[in-house]
Amino acid sequence: MRSIAVVNQKGGVGKTTTTANIAYAIAAMGHQVTVIDLDPQGHLSAHLGMNQSTQDGIDKVISGKTTFVNTVKEVRENLRIIPAGSELVLLERGNGDAEFGEILQKMIATDCNDQDFVFIDCPPASGLLIDYALTAVDEILVPVAGDYLALRGLSDLVATLKQFEKKCNKNFVQWIVMTRFHVRRRLSWEVQEKLLEYFTDSVLITPIRETSVLAECPSFGKTAFEYKKGNHGASDYESLAKNFINGECISGRA
Amino acid sequence: MAARKKKSLGDDPLAWLKQEAAAEDKPVLRKKAVAKKTRKKASQKKPKKVARVDKNQSGATILLEPVLVIDEAIQLHKKLNTYINQQDDVIIDGSNVNMIDTAMLQLLTAFIVKLKNKGLKVTWKDPSEELISRATLLDLHKQLELG
């Protein structure tokens, strides 16, 4: 079982889009996938068509008020979700306990031990919720948009990760996916070159091209695969899913 | 001579990683060690890979890279041109292709047509679905012999 946090402190880079679509693609290949919405905005739940206004979520599971079984929901074949929950925002503001990260880690190890992949969709922040996610997982998937500010966000994230690894004596397996990629824009290619310069063997082969489909489909509670046939978003995420499963990076790490 | 293209990326927000790695004498993020910075002229700058070539006894196998777009057209054109004048059959491995645009498809089409006119054989090895679907969309699959 692989546990992955989809994380980037910069907002709008495609964390939720990537979590929803790559999870769907991997599930469609026959693997068992669980996604955890750790973002108080609850966008992952909305993306997958779940009305979570009255749902208990991961907020109550890690604070011990309910159980995993009571909150997990099957949303697609082979794909299930634990929604965020309304109290997650309180945990983000500092009402949480440092042990919640270990509780999340234990939950994944015991209640998800029959799963092949567990993805955690993280909020665009650097607070307690990120700490919980990093405590719970072995791998990091970082979506990076093809622009300068995304590189700055990545720089901040790398600093956070280094501190965390040092503090917790942990070494994450790190993957980078380029998102919102404009093929005809030189800046996108320069950002990719910069990523390859610093993160050799970590940049997954398939960049996710910018397409309106990825922006439209969440409003219908659908992934790109279900929204419109033959769109670039779906084909890119399908390729990305294969790259991720097989560890296929631009410089050939496997 | 064409003017040197202006970079679109000015500041490097990740530069501190190299400085830190140099200070600690460690590789950046446990990956390959940071190469010693050497001054290179613009003409010596290594171009982006668009294809790798393996020579075998029956001819050359050209392995296409995953992303093939117009920005790399000049480079691919140069690479393919080296095989136009040789008398070897060619195998094109398209298994890695995840993205290919019209310009690159046209380049490959012209390459295959030229080789065939010289009486040489061109075969495809494991062309990806993306490659086949793009070629079919532009009705180039017949000239490209992608079936």
Side-chain angles (χ1 to χ4, degrees):
Chain A
M1 188 261 290
R2 292 173 65 178
S3 56
I4 309 104
V6 183
V7 60
N8 192 327
Q9 289 156 277
K10 175 98 174 55
V13 296
K15 292 183 291 299
T16 300
T17 303
T18 295
T19 308
N21 286 284
I22 200 175
Y24 181 94
I26 292 176
M29 291 176 194
H31 302 284
Q32 298 297 319
V33 184
T34 297
V35 292
I36 300 172
D37 191 353
L38 207 62
D39 185 348
Q41 296 174 102
H43 288 172
L44 180 62
S45 311
H47 201 316
L48 293 171
M50 197 173 169
N51 179 4
Q52 61 145 15
S53 55
T54 55
Q55 288 277 355
D56 285 341
I58 193 67
D59 56 338
K60 296 222 168 97
V61 176
I62 59 177
S63 56
K65 294 176 185 173
T66 187
T67 62
F68 173 88
V69 171
N70 287 342
T71 52
V72 69
K73 302 287 176 220
E74 183 109 9
V75 284
R76 303 289 192 279
E77 191 179 354
N78 299 329
L79 177 61
R80 55 187 198 178
I81 184 172
I82 305 174
S86 56
E87 292 181 12
L88 205 57
V89 65
L90 299 176
L91 299 183
E92 189 184 38
R93 286 177 192 163
N95 290 13
D97 195 321
E99 287 179 357
F100 286 170
E102 286 162 12
I103 293 172
L104 182 60
Q105 183 182 34
K106 193 178 170 188
M107 182 204 83
I108 291 173
T110 53
D111 296 310
C112 298
N113 60 1
D114 60 337
Q115 300 292 290
D116 299 308
F117 294 86
V118 175
F119 288 94
I120 300 180
D121 183 28
C122 295
S126 55
L128 281 174
L129 293 176
I130 298 293
D131 277 359
Y132 299 159
L134 295 179
T135 301
V137 302
D138 299 317
E139 300 182 46
I140 305 287
L141 174 60
V142 185
V144 178
D147 60 61
Y148 167 70
L149 293 178
L151 279 182
R152 285 196 65 132
L154 179 62
S155 175
D156 294 338
L157 175 64
V158 168
T160 301
L161 287 175
K162 277 175 166 283
Q163 283 175 9
F164 192 91
E165 285 180 331
K166 202 173 172 182
K167 184 176 81 171
C168 300
N169 196 24
K170 201 167 181 176
N171 281 326
F172 293 109
V173 176
Q174 298 178 17
W175 310 95
I176 291 175
V177 52
M178 286 213 67
T179 54
R180 311 195 75 162
F181 194 84
H182 290 264
V183 174
R184 305 248 178 260
R185 188 183 281 179
R186 195 187 316 149
L187 179 59
S188 289
W189 293 102
E190 289 186 15
V191 168
Q192 187 188 65
E193 276 178 32
K194 194 57 68 178
L195 291 175
L196 290 172
E197 182 184 335
Y198 287 99
F199 306 101
T200 313
D201 299 336
S202 292
V203 183
L204 293 164
I205 287 177
T206 305
I208 306 300
R209 288 170 282 182
E210 178 77 70
T211 169
S212 58
V213 165
L214 293 176
E216 291 168 12
C217 61
S219 69
F220 295 92
K222 293 181 179 178
T223 63
F225 298 87
E226 302 154 311
Y227 178 61
K228 191 175 177 183
K229 276 195 176 176
N231 69 83
H232 292 321
S235 60
D236 287 350
Y237 272 111
E238 188 175 15
S239 293
L240 183 74
K242 288 175 191 165
N243 296 156
F244 183 75
I245 290 170
N246 299 320
E248 294 161 351
C249 297
I250 289 183
S251 292
R253 179 178 87 168
Chain B
M1 190 185 290
R4 190 175 172 178
K5 278 185 181 174
K6 187 185 169 191
K7 284 272 188 187
S8 298
L9 205 55
D11 173 51
D12 181 1
L14 293 161
W16 64 272
L17 280 170
K18 283 186 183 172
Q19 290 156 14
E20 193 181 76
E24 294 176 3
D25 196 26
K26 279 181 190 170
V28 174
L29 286 190
R30 308 185 311 279
K31 301 295 188 292
K32 292 177 190 175
V34 174
K36 210 173 178 183
K37 214 172 181 179
T38 53
R39 283 185 188 169
K40 284 187 178 180
K41 292 179 187 173
S43 57
Q44 292 174 354
K45 188 180 169 185
K46 210 172 177 182
K48 190 180 170 78
K49 267 198 301 189
V50 286
R52 277 175 277 154
V53 182
D54 295 318
K55 279 282 191 182
N56 54 42
Q57 288 179 342
S58 58
T61 300
I62 300 173
L63 175 62
L64 296 177
E65 290 294 317
V67 179
L68 298 168
V69 292
I70 191 171
D71 301 63
E72 319 303 331
I74 293 173
Q75 197 187 334
L76 183 60
H77 185 262
K78 275 185 195 167
K79 182 76 83 176
L80 296 178
N81 256 353
T82 60
Y83 293 93
I84 297 289
N85 295 322
Q86 293 181 12
Q87 295 303 312
D88 285 334
D89 293 338
V90 168
I91 300 169
I92 306 178
D93 186 335
S95 56
N96 282 343
V97 175
N98 279 331
M99 191 187 299
I100 184 165
D101 67 9
T102 311
M104 298 303 245
L105 279 169
Q106 287 174 335
L107 200 56
L108 286 170
T109 306
F111 172 68
I112 289 173
V113 167
K114 272 190 185 171
L115 282 182
K116 286 183 69 179
N117 287 343
K118 283 174 166 281
L120 296 171
K121 194 176 159 191
V122 179
T123 49
W124 282 96
K125 183 183 170 193
D126 301 329
S128 68
E129 279 179 30
E130 171 74 5
L131 177 56
I132 295 172
S133 66
R134 286 280 164 189
T136 307
L137 191 69
L138 296 168
D139 212 21
L140 289 173
H141 55 291
K142 285 180 189 159
Q143 292 96 314
L144 283 164
E145 298 188 355
L146 278 167

